[in-house]
Amino acid sequence: MKYKRCSGVLLHPTSLSGSYGIGDLGPEAYHFVDFLAETGCTFWQVLPLGPTGYGDSPYQCFSAFAGNPYLVNPDLLLREGFLKDEDLEGKPDFSSDKVDYGLVIPWKLSMLDKAYYRFKDGSFPQLEVALTAFELEQEPWLNDFALFMTIKELQGDKAWCEWEPDLRARNPKALKKISKAHSEVIHRHIFRQFLFFRQWERLHTYAQKRGVYIIGDIPIFVAHDSADIWANRELFYLDEQGKPTVVAGVPPDYFSETGQLWGNPLYRWDVHAQTGYTWWLSRFTTVLSLVDIVRLDHFRGFAGYWEVTAGESTAKNGRWVPGPGSSFFEMVAGRLETGMSPLLGLAETWGTGLPIIAEDLGEITPDVIKLRDDFDLPGMKILVFAFDSGPTNPFLPHHYPQNCLVYTGTHDNDTVRGWYERVDEAERNFARRYLGSDGSNIAWDFVRTAWASRARIAIAPMQDLLGLGNEARMNYPGRSGGNWTWRMSAEALSPALGERLSELNLLFEREK
């Protein structure tokens, strides 16, 4: 099949500019959509949108279904009357280029609480109906999540496996008692979700009207300290206290002698299969109500995953275990074909396949390739991986199939400039020879090469469009703190940058 060529930009909303310490769903997000539309880009790619927990990582969320309340924009709440000018007085002196989560989180939550109490006073009768409808629509996950977050507050933010036994085990009498005694706290968490979904839906609709579609992200694994696992213990390998018996990771490879020990609990795929993958199908339905296409993180784990006994200090002593394979994707395909139509105006660009991108990086074996290709899922090519092993490297553009996405880099990699400054001269030299470059503007040499490639979709992180070094890198896998903090400046989306990106989209037939 011949696909329409298109392009996009990878930028998590937290990295947007703005005056409230963290990028959010306010005016700067709409400005970014306008920038994409006016330069001819089709896609805005984001990271998972859930409420972040440990390490502020969007890949370690308190829920795979809920939204991140820190992304709610105060200015929009002000316009609707949920906040008043005096509510914003005394705002901390936030950094404009880094997210200080320790400063942002308590202030943002205090703003949301003020909005909740103003809503509670009866000033918004028309929205009470909308809130009730939201609660009914999101009922499969919302009540468990709000209860989970409420108990977590009451338990001093301890992980759920450290709660009192009755709460840990979801004793019905204990949960009923909590629900009755702390109903206001529960409703406050529900209201935060209502505000997030309300602001996100409006932004998403605006983007679609401008011809910009959002690529979201589904991490294969969920955080242990999450409402998902607390409410669905039977779907995971846990002991009687709720602690994992086996955990996720990847084996030793070129990048790490001991592998990567992620620590997420592993799925009991046999139990998921017995339920018809109900939990997973609900997850796809919810995420695809927020975005148009999803990147399925660690796709190889659906063919086979690395299992490590809980308590191991590294991922070295693990084993490969078969994943759910084609039976899982057959169920997903059935749900997406019969249950909803998330593609809207994307048919010409995306075709009729599943709205899924396979993150097929890492140790890829024939079974992974077969699973990807059997369902016609586009894979990923990363240019910063391309120059360390000569012309046979599969990440070099002359090896690309048409049905793939090429990225200059991702949130887990060096920026292009950071990569160029870090690697040895032999790798830099091969890159210059391949790109026909002198290295003086290496980030845009990568962007141009990606856009010129055969890949159906070309995407660059915003950091590479801005030519930034590793001071702007989003994440260092394995580093416990200091990640996910980068924000772009208010002046970043300049007319000159827009003209340059527009020119590439025109030259390489990637205009939307």
Side-chain angles (χ1 to χ4, degrees), residues 175-435:
L175 296 187
K176 185 175 181 180
K177 183 178 179 180
I178 289 283
S179 297
K180 185 176 181 180
H182 301 280
S183 61
E184 184 166 284
V185 182
I186 292 171
H187 290 147
R188 182 156 42 85
H189 282 288
I190 290 173
F191 184 71
R192 290 175 184 175
Q193 290 303 304
F194 174 66
L195 293 181
F196 170 86
F197 274 74
R198 181 179 171 82
Q199 288 195 1
W200 179 264
E201 181 181 5
R202 291 179 173 181
L203 176 62
H204 186 200
T205 300
Y206 180 80
Q208 289 172 336
K209 287 179 178 177
R210 296 234 56 190
V212 173
Y213 299 96
I214 297 176
I215 299 174
D217 198 313
I218 294 183
I220 182 174
F221 300 117
V222 294
H224 177 231
D225 190 23
S226 67
D228 310 298
I229 294 183
W230 174 66
N232 302 279
R233 286 176 58 166
E234 71 282 359
L235 299 178
F236 301 86
Y237 285 106
L238 306 173
D239 64 19
E240 291 184 1
Q241 284 72 46
K243 295 182 179 179
T245 57
V246 288
V247 296
V250 291
D253 58 16
Y254 173 80
F255 299 101
S256 172
E257 292 181 359
T258 58
Q260 295 180 37
L261 186 63
W262 298 334
N264 303 75
L266 291 172
Y267 298 106
R268 294 184 60 187
W269 283 115
D270 57 335
V271 178
H272 281 270
Q274 290 166 14
T275 69
Y277 300 106
T278 299
W279 182 85
W280 266 100
L281 295 179
S282 295
R283 189 179 182 191
F284 268 101
T285 300
T286 300
V287 174
L288 281 167
S289 72
L290 298 174
V291 302
D292 303 296
I293 293 167
V294 292
R295 167 191 177 271
L296 196 51
D297 181 58
H298 197 57
F299 176 80
R300 76 103 52 245
F302 293 95
Y305 57 91
W306 191 246
E307 176 188 277
V308 182
T309 302
E312 289 281 348
S313 59
T314 73
K316 194 171 183 179
N317 298 319
R319 64 175 187 137
W320 286 110
V321 178
S326 60
S327 66
F328 172 79
F329 287 99
E330 286 166 1
M331 292 294 291
V332 171
R335 166 61 67 90
L336 299 191
E337 289 171 3
T338 61
M340 60 183 175
S341 180
L343 298 181
L344 301 170
L346 270 173
E348 183 183 2
T349 297
W350 199 257
T352 57
L354 295 176
I356 295 172
I357 297 162
E359 188 267 289
D360 54 348
L361 306 175
E363 188 172 333
I364 303 305
T365 49
D367 57 332
V368 181
I369 296 170
K370 184 177 188 305
L371 185 62
R372 180 197 66 197
D373 292 348
D374 281 350
F375 291 88
D376 198 28
L377 304 179
M380 292 174 55
K381 305 296 182 184
I382 313 298
L383 266 180
V384 292
F385 294 168
F387 302 103
D388 63 354
S389 57
T392 61
N393 188 309
F395 289 103
L396 288 169
H398 65 270
H399 294 298
Y400 294 174
Q402 184 185 32
N403 190 25
C404 73
L405 286 81
V406 57
Y407 294 78
T408 54
T410 75
H411 61 280
D412 279 337
N413 310 133
D414 294 319
T415 67
V416 168
R417 205 185 92 197
W419 165 86
Y420 190 73
E421 292 169 351
R422 178 183 60 80
V423 298
D424 61 31
E425 178 56 23
E427 195 167 341
R428 284 196 296 266
N429 182 57
F430 183 71
R432 289 193 299 267
R433 290 165 60 201
Y434 189 92
L435 301 171

Side-chain angles (χ1 to χ4, degrees), residues 107-126:
W107 185 83
K108 257 297 174 71
L109 294 183
S110 74
M111 291 298 100
L112 297 178
D113 287 349
K114 290 174 183 178
Y116 170 70
Y117 290 116
R118 193 157 283 123
F119 173 82
K120 248 191 82 179
D121 70 11
S123 302
F124 303 88
Q126 73 282 7

Side-chain angles (χ1 to χ4, degrees), residues 3-6 379 381 397 400-407 449-459 508 510:
Y3 298 100
K4 185 176 184 287
R5 291 164 60 79
C6 49
K381 305 296 182 184
Y400 294 174
Q402 184 185 32
N403 190 25
C404 73
L405 286 81
V406 57
Y407 294 78
T449 299
W451 260 241
S453 77
R454 189 166 178 255
R456 61 191 278 199
I457 298 172
I459 291 181
F508 299 116
R510 294 192 183 274

Side-chain angles (χ1 to χ4, degrees), residues 9-11 32 35 460-466 486 488 493 497:
V9 177
L10 170 59
L11 179 78
F32 183 65
F35 172 82
M462 193 70 209
Q463 292 94 319
D464 290 340
L465 294 181
L466 297 174
W486 177 76
M488 68 179 180
L493 304 180
L497 179 65

